[in-house]
Amino acid sequence: MAQRAVWLISHEPGTPLCGTVRFSRRYPTVEKRAKVFNGTSYVPIPEDGPFLKALFFELRLLDDDKDFVESRDSCSHINKTSVYGLLVGGGELWPVVAFLKNNMIYACVPLVEQTLSPRPPLISISGISQSFELLFGIQDFLHLGQKNETELNTKLNQLPDLLLQACPFGTLLDANLQNSLDSINFASVTHPQKQPAWKVGTYKGKPQVSVSITEKVKSMQYDKQDIADTWQVVGAVTCKCDLEGIMPNVTISLSLPTNGSPLQDILVHPCVTSLDSAILTSSSIDAMDDSAFSGPYKFPFTPPLESFNLCYYTSQVPVPPILGFYQMKEEEIQVKITVNLKLHESVKNNFEFCEARIPFYNRGPVTHVEYKVSFGQLEVFRERSLLIWIIGQKFPKSMEISLSGTVTFGAKSHEKQPFDEICIGGTAYLKLHFKILDYTLTGCYADQHSVQVFASGKPKISTHRKLISSDYYIWNSKAPAPITYGSLLLVRCHN
């Protein structure tokens, strides 16, 4: 008996979505079991948005839902069990246990340890009774002694830690969440706070929290049919928490937009106190599917005094931000070059800087350059045998730019001219350097509302994010053999 996912959704008539997901928890280990048990009848757990819309439609809670729907409203479909089937992602998610109480919808999806086609009798699914037990337990906890919205928010913030004890890995151990809260409070009382050995002092001053998300994108592009282009995004979340007290507690939530790319291979700082199992099990080794966990990614922690990296992650974004084509043809002491760059339409067209560097190794100094550029300007460094195409802060409206020209070289001088063991003959590259502020390629963000601080005083919270290029290569399409990251790093390290 286990649960695949749990939701708490507030019913808010008159708002665009008619409601808000106040809490959600998915259990990836249970989801993998569901995929095995259900076989071809398996339907993955959807994102919060599609789930909310499908559930509100089934419960007739949408403001504009006035029409009769045969599959839902006919006499043959009268529901007396609070167990529903939701149309999501081209399939039907069943069974979904859900009920409305005090303007809050409590919902969860139990694990069914058999195929769902044909539907087994409800009485044979033991997880359904456990679902009701869990939801009733959450309901009792939220409304026991609740007087206002502030108290409700406080209890909602406590749910992640409570479910770690009461329902670990989706298996219900104790439906009385107050017991779990009491055990946590008892532990904090019986073990008073002490100055940890790794924290050499305490902060005194104005409280403030700074969160910075930095993503670096790498790419190897070849424009060859026999070898695929590669790209990778690596992110880091850096924090600086100036908070008074011996052990202040902070929770930072990273979120993704609807079309964002899920975070994977997440590594966290030792100060993080607990993690959702979905965060730990998300790996780039596994094939991406609709059941991939896409947040929010919550990190509760006790911060050190200094600036630190809260977590690192990777992500499989669908396309690189800039697609490029580079061709270089040798003609005696000259080379002819052609470069085409295209900014993907989904990428923010507002750079702090953007430039393309075109080095020419194992040749003499540049003596003459004839070129035509559709956008930006070209700088020539003759002694360094280097061209720098300064693109600037924006691509044109067409999102495409081009550079073509002929470069003439003088006699070689081994003492001055750049040498490279890889870039010999037609093996050459163009390297892009760029930075975009207030943007990440995955869409990952943290705002002031996603930072919770449990310490004295109201801190000033600032959040930042940026995308930076790192090892962003576009190789000569006429090169005799492709260069991979491995071979490039091997030679660079050897030298």
Side-chain angles (χ1 to χ4, degrees):
M1 295 187 294
Q3 307 301 313
R4 295 168 60 186
V6 182
W7 291 269
L8 299 183
I9 306 172
S10 59
H11 182 215
E12 302 166 0
T15 61
L17 297 178
C18 298
T20 303
V21 176
R22 304 294 296 273
F23 173 82
S24 65
R25 167 63 61 85
R26 291 165 175 78
Y27 296 97
T29 53
V30 182
E31 193 66 14
K32 291 183 178 181
R33 291 164 59 193
K35 187 181 295 186
V36 173
F37 282 124
N38 301 160
T40 57
S41 59
Y42 167 77
V43 175
I45 297 293
E47 298 296 323
D48 288 348
F51 179 84
L52 182 151
K53 187 175 181 180
L55 181 61
F56 275 38
F57 172 80
E58 187 65 29
L59 298 179
R60 296 208 66 169
L61 295 178
L62 297 174
D63 290 342
D64 58 353
D65 189 6
K66 307 298 182 184
D67 298 331
F68 177 84
V69 179
E70 174 70 23
S71 61
R72 179 194 63 188
D73 303 324
S74 69
C75 294
S76 60
H77 291 85
I78 296 177
N79 192 305
K80 298 181 180 180
T81 61
S82 296
V83 179
Y84 303 91
L86 306 185
L87 296 178
V88 291
E92 184 181 35
L93 181 65
W94 183 90
V96 178
V97 177
F99 59 85
L100 174 64
K101 186 73 172 180
N102 297 327
N103 290 322
M104 184 75 77
I105 299 173
Y106 301 80
C108 65
V109 180
L111 172 67
V112 180
E113 298 181 348
Q114 62 187 91
T115 182
L116 300 178
S117 181
R119 283 187 181 180
L122 293 181
I123 196 171
S124 68
I125 304 174
S126 57
I128 289 181
S129 59
Q130 189 187 75
S131 297
F132 280 108
E133 187 178 4
L134 172 61
L135 295 179
F136 286 140
I138 295 175
Q139 176 194 330
D140 291 342
F141 169 73
L142 291 183
H143 294 284
L144 180 64
Q146 178 199 331
K147 299 178 181 179
N148 52 46
E149 184 69 15
T150 301
E151 291 185 5
L152 176 62
N153 290 333
T154 299
K155 290 189 174 184
L156 287 172
N157 290 333
Q158 292 172 338
L159 272 182
D161 290 336
L162 296 182
L163 288 183
L164 283 175
Q165 291 199 21
C167 191
F169 300 101
T171 301
L172 184 63
L173 301 181
D174 187 358
N176 189 340
L177 299 189
Q178 190 63 39
N179 289 341
S180 298
L181 181 62
D182 292 342
S183 65
I184 293 175
N185 292 337
F186 176 77
S188 63
V189 171
T190 55
H191 301 283
Q193 288 185 338
K194 294 182 180 180
Q195 184 82 6
W198 52 265
K199 197 169 185 179
V200 296
T202 57
Y203 173 79
K204 296 292 183 181
K206 293 183 178 181
Q208 52 188 357
V209 176
S210 175
V211 182
S212 178
I213 303 174
T214 301
E215 288 188 352
K216 294 184 178 181
V217 55
K218 300 181 179 182
S219 183
M220 285 281 196
Q221 299 180 33
Y222 307 98
D223 194 49
K224 289 179 176 289
Q225 294 183 351
D226 58 340
I227 182 170
D229 295 343
T230 62
W231 57 91
Q232 181 187 33
V233 173
V234 178
V237 180
T238 304
C239 299
K240 181 69 167 71
C241 301
D242 295 328
L243 301 170
E244 293 186 345
I246 296 177
M247 295 283 282
N249 292 313
V250 181
T251 298
I252 293 178
S253 298
L254 303 182
S255 301
L256 298 174
T258 303
N259 59 345
S261 301
L263 309 185
Q264 301 172 318
D265 305 325
I266 298 175
L267 299 175
V268 299
H269 191 275
C271 71
V272 175
T273 55
S274 63
L275 275 180
D276 191 318
S277 59
I279 295 177
L280 295 174
T281 55
S282 180
S283 171
S284 59
I285 298 176
D286 300 330
M288 291 288 289
D289 55 34
D290 294 336
S291 64
F293 181 67
S294 57
Y297 305 84
K298 293 188 177 183
F299 301 92
F301 61 93
T302 300
L305 292 176
E306 69 278 2
S307 177
F308 68 101
N309 290 319
L310 176 64
C311 69
Y312 298 93
Y313 61 84
T314 66
S315 184
Q316 301 179 43
V317 295
V319 293
I322 299 177
L323 293 169
F325 167 81
Y326 176 41
Q327 187 176 90
M328 186 188 78
K329 296 181 179 179
E330 293 185 281
E331 296 180 358
E332 297 180 354
I333 61 171
Q334 292 182 334
V335 295
K336 290 186 176 181
I337 62 171
T338 302
V339 181
N340 296 317
L341 299 177
K342 181 178 180 180
L343 180 68
H344 193 269
E345 58 185 8
S346 65
V347 177
K348 181 180 179 181
N349 189 12
N350 190 359
F351 295 80
E352 184 176 76
F353 65 85
C354 183
E355 64 184 33
R357 299 192 176 193
I358 311 174
F360 300 98
Y361 293 102
N362 310 316
R363 303 176 188 276
V366 175
T367 58
H368 182 68
V369 178
E370 293 182 0
Y371 67 91
K372 181 180 179 180
V373 62
S374 67
F375 192 80
Q377 60 187 33
L378 189 70
E379 292 187 357
V380 181
F381 296 84
R382 298 181 183 276
E383 293 300 322
R384 293 167 56 190
S385 301
L386 174 67
L387 304 182
I388 298 182
W389 182 10
I390 300 176
I391 299 167
Q393 295 181 324
K394 283 183 177 292
F395 274 62
K397 290 184 178 180
S398 65
M399 300 295 188
E400 298 184 30
I401 56 178
S402 62
L403 165 67
S404 59
T406 301
V407 183
T408 304
F409 302 93
K412 290 183 180 180
S413 176
H414 294 291
E415 295 180 358
K416 296 182 179 180
Q417 305 315 130
F419 171 77
D420 190 277
E421 294 184 10
I422 290 180
C423 297
I424 298 174
T427 303
Y429 64 80
L430 171 155
K431 188 175 183 182
L432 282 172
H433 298 259
F434 58 82
K435 179 192 289 187
I436 307 177
L437 299 180
D438 194 28
Y439 176 79
T440 52
L441 202 56
T442 62
C444 180
Y445 68 92
D447 56 29
Q448 294 183 352
H449 303 290
S450 59
V451 180
Q452 296 177 325
V453 179
F454 305 94
S456 60
K458 185 177 181 180
K460 177 184 177 182
I461 298 174
S462 60
T463 59
H464 313 275
R465 58 178 183 163
K466 59 187 174 183
L467 175 68
I468 302 175
S469 63
S470 172
D471 296 333
Y472 204 103
Y473 293 94
I474 300 171
W475 291 89
N476 178 18
S477 62
K478 296 294 184 180
I483 304 298
T484 63
Y485 274 125
S487 59
L488 185 66
L489 291 174
L490 184 62
V491 174
R492 296 288 188 264
C493 292
H494 178 71
N495 290 338

